[in-house]
Amino acid sequence: MERFYLTTAIDYVNGTPHIGHAYEKIVSDVIVRHYKQRCNDVYFLTGTDEHGIKIQKTAAERGITPKQMCDEHAAAFKDAWKKLDIDYNQFIRTTDDYHEKAVQKIFEKLLAQGDIYKHSYTGLYCSGCEVFLNPKDLDENGCCPIHNRKPEEISEENYFFKLSKYKDAIIKHIKENPDYIMPAFRANEVLNQLENIEDISVSRTKDNVSWGIPVLSDDNQVIYVWIDALSNYITALGYDVDNCPEKFEKYWAESHHVIGKDILKFHSIYWSAILLALGLPLPKQLFVHGFININKEKMSKSLGNVISPQSVMEAWQLEEPDAFRYYMATAAPIGKDGNFSDEDFKEKVNVDLANNMGNLLNRTLSMLVKYFDGEVKPEFKGNNPIDALNVIDKVEEHFDKFELQEAAAEIVTLLDSTNKYVTNNAPWTLAKEEKMTECGQVLVNVLETLCIVSALIQPYCPNLADKMAQQLKFDLSVKLDDLTDDNIKVGKLISKEEIKPVFLRLDSEFATNKK
Ligand code: MSP
């Protein structure tokens, strides 16, 4: 694989980031960092979705302009991602000038070719979804099943997009490309939804929604969120109907969209249809993740249980985000819902990162210093029964299916067996019995394994991996496929002073004191 383009959903800026948003960005960043270890050309796009009635209303409630609120909240998202070490290449805001202009051109092209038409309409509008709902989409109380509130009845003359025209082509694409929608059970869901698909409204009157991109050829209408929002994936690469720049040509063919389950329909059906209408290839893959719940409850403003990534970092006094990243990225099997609880967080990172990994490195380096003054002798090398290289293949296979939890479990299993190897071979007994070569071999075998572990854990815990690699004098920039089992150099590896704990156990008192 030479190239990899990954996008996240762009977050609405009517609020500040919560751990659901953070979950998606962390999962995406872990995937991106893994692919950077495998290919040279990786591009990672994230951003914010800044138009629509919800944002207009929230700003009005706060007595500020929508733009002021967008600026404030977009900055909060950027700041949160910085603190979580989300290493994106580009942050797009749908209020960016280049995006707005490109969206206007996209709209005009679709209008000119007859894919968009004007139509008077009465419909049920959910401002949570920013979409007109079909009465059969509502729950038994007549509410939107996602936002749990009654949609508003709206009568307007809007522009409509001929979604129904593309129905058969989308069904064909999904059936012919079983990897298009991951995990596969989501593809069936989409095929069912496609059965009853109707044309969709893609504009609103300016009287009802002023905070949107104006339709170029019609003063009374603004382009309504989904054409605007979804187009970010191509406008970010410079596409604007008239131009398909090199950046677009380079990355679009390798595009992977990471999205939550609630916006699958918009991506698999609306977006696929828009791209087909524009004559562009469909994205390579949609990766659909589940939701993060808090203490097994759905996170919601009404339950008052919405938490920010920042509050977790502060409660646990985390200077680096690695523990939170690790917990989030492994919180759920592919596509399923996950859970955040303080107890579980503490338990998981203390066992996996502090005990299994950090302590193993610390103990092994300390023994190397104690018995050999930190020196690796030539006879300690080349006799490793632990097959860590094999784990690289397994981790790569899991990542190819976006199985982050399973990939991490492979690393933990490797650590478990390495800890067992130390217990079974008891290097402290070998030293006591003066079997120094055997003792040195055991220690170096463990350190070799930890080099591979530092590379494999790096996408999840970049700071922790750096600290490990520094003490192992191991070059983390080597691509996974070029790694060997010969990374520990003969000679002085480390002194007593250089040995530092790479990960401190989480102390539950921190969390409780802060609450
Ligand atoms: N703006 C749209 C997306 C447009 S993409 C072209 C939107 N924004 S959102 O802010 O509501 O959600 C952004 C992403 O966060 C979505 O993928 C959504 O599924 C995800 N999540 C929102 N709450 C979540 C959880 N509780 N858990 C995990 N992800 C969640 O939708």
Side-chain angles (χ1 to χ4, degrees):
M1 186 190 300
E2 268 182 38
R3 221 165 254 150
F4 189 81
Y5 173 44
L6 186 136
T7 68
T8 70
I10 49 173
D11 302 308
Y12 285 130
V13 286
N14 56 320
T16 48
H18 57 59
I19 67 168
H21 300 125
Y23 172 68
E24 179 176 281
K25 301 331 176 250
I26 291 172
V27 163
S28 303
D29 188 66
V30 172
I31 296 171
V32 162
R33 285 179 188 262
H34 170 84
Y35 280 104
K36 280 190 185 155
Q37 295 180 310
R38 291 169 65 183
C39 46
N40 291 321
D41 198 356
V42 178
Y43 201 77
F44 179 17
L45 173 74
T46 191
T48 40
D49 188 356
E50 307 195 353
H51 295 118
I53 189 70
K54 220 169 18 175
I55 287 156
Q56 184 184 322
K57 277 186 181 163
T58 316
E61 279 159 23
R62 288 186 52 197
I64 54 175
T65 66
K67 181 70 171 105
Q68 276 170 327
M69 194 179 74
C70 291
D71 288 348
E72 185 189 307
H73 287 171
F77 276 92
K78 280 188 179 171
D79 184 52
W81 303 159
K82 191 166 176 217
K83 292 197 169 101
L84 295 178
D85 284 338
I86 308 297
D87 192 16
Y88 54 78
N89 296 85
Q90 186 176 345
F91 191 101
I92 187 169
R93 297 179 56 184
T94 55
T95 50
D96 286 336
D97 195 45
Y98 71 90
H99 172 79
E100 293 194 345
K101 290 206 165 93
V103 168
Q104 285 179 318
K105 282 165 116 181
I106 289 170
F107 194 96
E108 290 304 317
K109 176 176 162 70
L110 300 178
L111 189 63
Q113 70 191 35
D115 277 314
I116 286 180
Y117 61 94
K118 217 166 185 185
H119 174 58
S120 289
Y121 182 72
T122 300
L124 298 168
Y125 185 75
C126 170
S127 62
C129 299
E130 294 279 15
V131 73
F132 283 97
L133 296 176
N134 195 310
K136 45 182 188 299
D137 295 334
L138 306 179
D139 67 14
E140 58 283 6
N141 303 316
C143 293
C144 161
I146 296 172
H147 296 94
N148 212 9
R149 61 174 175 248
K150 283 205 162 73
E152 214 180 320
E153 190 173 282
I154 286 176
S155 290
E156 275 182 14
E157 188 176 47
N158 293 155
Y159 286 100
F160 273 68
F161 174 67
K162 278 191 188 158
L163 195 58
S164 48
K165 177 174 157 189
Y166 295 97
K167 172 179 163 178
D168 293 342
I170 300 171
I171 294 177
K172 186 165 176 273
H173 187 82
I174 294 175
K175 290 195 171 156
E176 284 175 0
N177 296 277
D179 290 341
Y180 182 45
I181 301 171
M182 298 271 286
F185 71 89
R186 294 284 179 200
N188 293 331
E189 212 175 286
V190 175
L191 288 171
N192 287 336
Q193 283 171 339
L194 273 160
E195 299 279 317
N196 305 309
I197 211 71
E198 288 168 5
D199 294 352
I200 50 164
S201 156
V202 288
S203 75
R204 299 291 310 270
T205 58
K206 261 193 192 148
D207 297 342
N208 286 328
V209 183
S210 56
W211 185 236
I213 303 176
V215 174
L216 268 185
S217 56
D218 187 336
D219 272 353
N220 294 320
Q221 300 266 333
V222 297
I223 299 167
Y224 147 74
V225 294
W226 284 98
I227 284 204
D228 168 4
L230 291 160
S231 301
N232 92 88
Y233 302 131
I234 52 175
T235 63
L237 299 178
Y239 174 87
D240 76 352
V241 175
D242 299 327
N243 291 301
C244 260
E246 197 198 336
K247 192 170 167 194
F248 177 82
E249 295 293 349
K250 216 164 102 170
Y251 292 116
W252 184 243
E254 298 304 325
S255 51
H256 299 77
H257 298 323
V258 175
I259 52 164
K261 61 182 183 181
D262 56 328
I263 53 173
L264 171 60
K265 181 163 105 186
F266 307 117
H267 284 76
S268 57
I269 304 179
Y270 297 15
W271 184 223
S272 301
I274 294 167
L275 287 165
L276 289 170
L278 290 172
L280 295 175
L282 300 195
K284 199 161 181 182
Q285 206 160 48
L286 306 178
F287 167 58
V288 190
H289 62 76
F291 264 37
I292 286 292
N293 298 320
I294 308 282
N295 297 320
K296 309 237 161 88
E297 277 186 324
K298 196 173 164 184
M299 190 165 44
S300 78
K301 274 194 192 144
S302 51
L303 285 173
N305 64 351
V306 179
I307 51 177
S308 71
Q310 184 62 17
S311 69
V312 178
M313 299 270 291
E314 280 170 13
W316 291 95
Q317 300 192 355
L318 302 178
E319 279 170 20
E320 282 159 351
D322 295 46
F324 182 62
R325 288 173 59 101
Y326 179 74
Y327 181 76
M328 285 278 115
T330 58
I334 175 180
K336 296 275 163 60
D337 288 352
N339 187 49
F340 180 89
S341 86
D342 274 315
E343 263 319 292
D344 193 35
F345 174 50
K346 185 183 79 166
E347 172 76 13
K348 173 120 179 115
V349 302
N350 280 350
V351 170
D352 291 357
L353 303 183
N355 297 359
N356 267 356
M357 193 158 64
N359 280 357
L360 179 63
L361 176 70
N362 204 271
R363 280 162 62 212
T364 314
L365 288 175
S366 300
M367 284 191 270
L368 190 75
V369 166
K370 182 170 172 193
Y371 303 133
F372 304 104
D373 194 26
E375 173 122 7
V376 173
K377 307 217 163 109
E379 61 271 26
F380 296 171
K381 300 226 357 142
N383 166 29
N384 197 350
I386 312 167
D387 189 1
L389 289 180
N390 176 38
V391 179
I392 299 179
D393 294 339
K394 291 188 190 166
V395 166
E396 287 187 354
E397 279 166 29
H398 284 304
F399 266 93
D400 287 341
K401 291 179 269 169
F402 296 115
E403 293 172 347
L404 274 60
Q405 192 187 53
E406 292 81 348
E410 297 286 354
I411 309 170
V412 172
T413 306
L414 174 63
L415 284 165
D416 282 341
S417 59
T418 313
N419 274 298
K420 274 194 199 110
Y421 170 77
V422 177
T423 312
N424 293 342
N425 290 281
W428 48 90
T429 311
L430 294 171
K432 221 183 256 167
E433 292 168 355
E434 292 185 9
K435 294 180 178 159
M436 297 320 279
T437 303
E438 283 98 319
C439 172
Q441 280 173 348
V442 171
L443 298 181
V444 168
N445 289 343
V446 173
L447 296 175
E448 286 289 3
T449 306
L450 286 169
C451 288
I452 307 286
V453 167
S454 70
L456 294 177
I457 205 74
Q458 196 265 353
Y460 301 83
C461 304
N463 303 288
L464 173 52
D466 270 350
K467 287 183 198 156
M468 288 176 76
Q470 256 171 38
Q471 297 187 47
L472 292 161
K473 312 283 182 300
F474 169 64
D475 179 8
L476 264 182
S477 68
V478 175
K479 295 269 183 261
L480 285 185
D481 292 340
D482 296 334
L483 276 180
T484 67
D485 53 3
D486 178 17
N487 299 295
I488 298 291
K489 311 214 174 24
V490 170
K492 175 98 172 177
L493 181 71
I494 198 156
S495 66
K496 191 171 174 202
E497 295 67 44
E498 284 176 280
I499 302 178
K500 303 222 169 62
V502 288
F503 185 82
L504 294 175
R505 284 176 65 83
L506 296 191
D507 180 349
S508 47
E509 281 176 25
F510 287 164
T512 15
N513 285 345
K514 284 259 172 177
K515 278 182 183 155

